[in-house]
Amino acid sequence: MGSLTEKEILTAIEAATRAPSVHNTQPWLFLPGAEGIEVHADLSRRLAAIDPQGRAMHISLGAAVLNLRIALANGGHSECTLLLPDPDDPRHVATVRAEGRRSVGLEERELFVAIGRRHSNRGPFDNIRPPGPDLERLAAAAELEGAMLHFADPAERDALLGLVRTAETRRRRDSAYRAELLAWTTDDPYREDGLPLEAVGPWSEMAAMPIRDFAPEREIPGRQTVRFEWEPVVATLSVHGGDGPKQWLRAGQALQRVLLEATRRGLAASLFSQLLEDPELLGLIRGGEHRMSVQMVLRVGYAPLAPASPRRSLEEVIVRGRPVPLKPPKLT
């Protein structure tokens, strides 16, 4: 860690804050120290209604970890990442260490630039399928993080979108879910978290594309109903092994690498996380011969640039000193 300057530390943490997060809650805190940059969960930002287990929170944190790693690589540092390094504090989800120097290639530089350009796109995509080599590169990006990105054939795609649509319909009946949406969707121009109304996106004609409606109880001037692409490109992101915090963190890193690779190639992406919030429906796409656990459903294609969502300041997310213990230490 001594090889990192204060400027490099701040640059890396600023990059980490650009990661996507569920409802733009930004559930992270960063602790620079002698062992590296620690990433901690900010439990005050966990969504009780849609994320009682913390899956979405950990996927968000994993995406931030990947951005930290890319920022260090872009600065010419080798890195070592430890997931869940403190068994006594589950809030400490990762430590990213700088270990030695390395050369910086074009790919690292382009991925670092993509961090600031990546934005979720909830609007319609063009009716142009991305070329096969680009989709193969997205799958290779997931594989680099130990995950599998599977592009659905038309029958699989329609089945997946049908399950997402069912999950979205079920969610809208939940008053606690609607209250969370209301709390995290904002028209306050000074707010540094949550989803701005201009980023909500249009309604899908005949609900053909089950994009999450972040503002079912809000009036958004000029919001329209539009036709989305006819043949969307939909994929599932899966990881090996079980289905717990470590797998969710791995999935978040893989997802972010896929999203950055898509941005690097001029592709837009949006996420269908509703399905991951419904255990019954999620169980319908679990298992299989490879014993993979599906952690995200996403769509990719070509679209105009989407608006950026706000981010908390570095002063809010950097912790100078040890966090308060989760519970009193045991007496010996």
Side-chain angles (χ1 to χ4, degrees):
M1 190 62 181
S3 63
L4 288 179
T5 66
E6 181 71 9
K7 181 179 179 180
E8 287 176 319
I9 292 170
L10 295 178
T11 297
I13 293 176
E14 196 279 334
T17 67
R18 297 292 164 184
S21 60
V22 56
H23 289 20
N24 196 30
T25 50
Q26 304 170 55
W28 40 62
L29 296 169
F30 303 95
L31 175 60
E35 295 299 315
I37 300 175
E38 296 182 6
V39 183
H40 290 249
D42 185 344
L43 298 182
S44 69
R45 292 172 170 269
R46 183 165 161 181
L47 300 175
I50 73 163
D51 193 31
Q53 291 183 306
R55 178 198 308 278
M57 181 184 70
H58 280 82
I59 290 176
S60 304
L61 290 162
V65 169
L66 192 279
N67 280 7
L68 269 182
R69 293 170 52 203
I70 289 176
L72 292 184
N74 182 68
H77 297 278
S78 298
E79 53 82 17
C80 174
T81 299
L82 305 175
L83 298 181
L84 302 176
D86 185 351
D88 293 326
D89 189 352
R91 296 172 303 177
H92 184 182
V93 298
T95 296
V96 182
R97 298 173 177 169
E99 297 189 343
R101 303 295 301 184
R102 53 164 288 175
S103 60
V104 184
L106 178 61
E107 181 171 342
E108 285 89 356
R109 296 197 185 281
E110 290 184 348
L111 287 174
F112 180 74
V113 170
I115 288 173
R117 294 173 44 226
R118 182 221 59 81
H119 308 303
S120 297
N121 193 314
R122 299 173 185 86
F125 293 175
D126 295 339
N127 287 303
I128 302 173
R129 183 179 177 85
D134 281 357
L135 299 183
E136 290 170 5
R137 286 304 301 266
L138 299 190
E143 191 173 353
L144 282 175
E145 300 299 329
M148 182 176 74
L149 187 69
H150 169 69
F151 288 96
D153 63 32
E156 291 174 317
R157 176 200 66 211
D158 293 345
L160 279 170
L161 293 180
L163 290 173
V164 174
R165 194 174 295 110
T166 299
E168 173 76 4
T169 300
R170 288 180 174 183
R171 275 296 179 199
R172 291 184 189 179
R173 301 185 188 128
D174 184 345
S175 59
Y177 168 73
R178 294 198 305 272
E180 277 186 347
L181 287 182
L182 198 60
W184 287 98
T185 308
T186 178
D187 58 0
D188 181 352
Y190 299 104
R191 186 166 166 178
E192 295 181 325
D193 59 7
L195 191 72
L197 291 185
E198 60 266 23
V200 166
W203 288 294
S204 172
E205 187 178 86
M206 300 180 67
M209 189 67 67
I211 300 293
R212 189 193 299 273
D213 188 353
F214 280 88
E217 299 176 3
R218 285 180 179 266
E219 290 286 340
I220 303 179
R223 191 180 187 191
Q224 298 178 330
T225 298
V226 301
R227 179 174 295 179
F228 279 64
E229 64 268 28
W230 304 321
E231 299 287 338
V233 177
V234 175
T236 56
L237 180 80
S238 307
V239 297
H240 292 279
D243 187 31
K246 184 165 285 189
Q247 287 76 31
W248 303 336
L249 290 167
R250 287 170 44 210
Q253 292 176 85
L255 174 64
Q256 180 66 348
R257 190 173 285 278
V258 168
L259 295 177
L260 293 180
E261 186 65 34
T263 301
R264 182 178 171 226
R265 296 179 174 276
L267 296 173
S270 63
L271 307 180
F272 298 112
S273 56
Q274 304 98 308
L275 186 55
L276 284 301
E277 300 157 15
D278 191 311
E280 179 186 1
L281 296 177
L282 183 59
L284 299 177
I285 59 171
R286 280 288 164 87
E289 58 179 330
H290 300 294
R291 304 309 303 169
M292 306 288 283
S293 60
V294 176
Q295 299 295 338
M296 188 58 68
V297 180
L298 62 155
R299 121 187 193 265
V300 297
Y302 295 105
L305 289 177
S309 297
R311 288 296 185 271
R312 294 199 283 165
S313 67
L314 294 184
E315 290 76 14
E316 285 190 76
V317 299
I318 294 178
V319 178
R320 301 289 185 178
R322 300 306 307 171
V324 176
L326 191 62
K327 57 184 179 181
K330 294 179 180 179
L331 297 177
T332 58

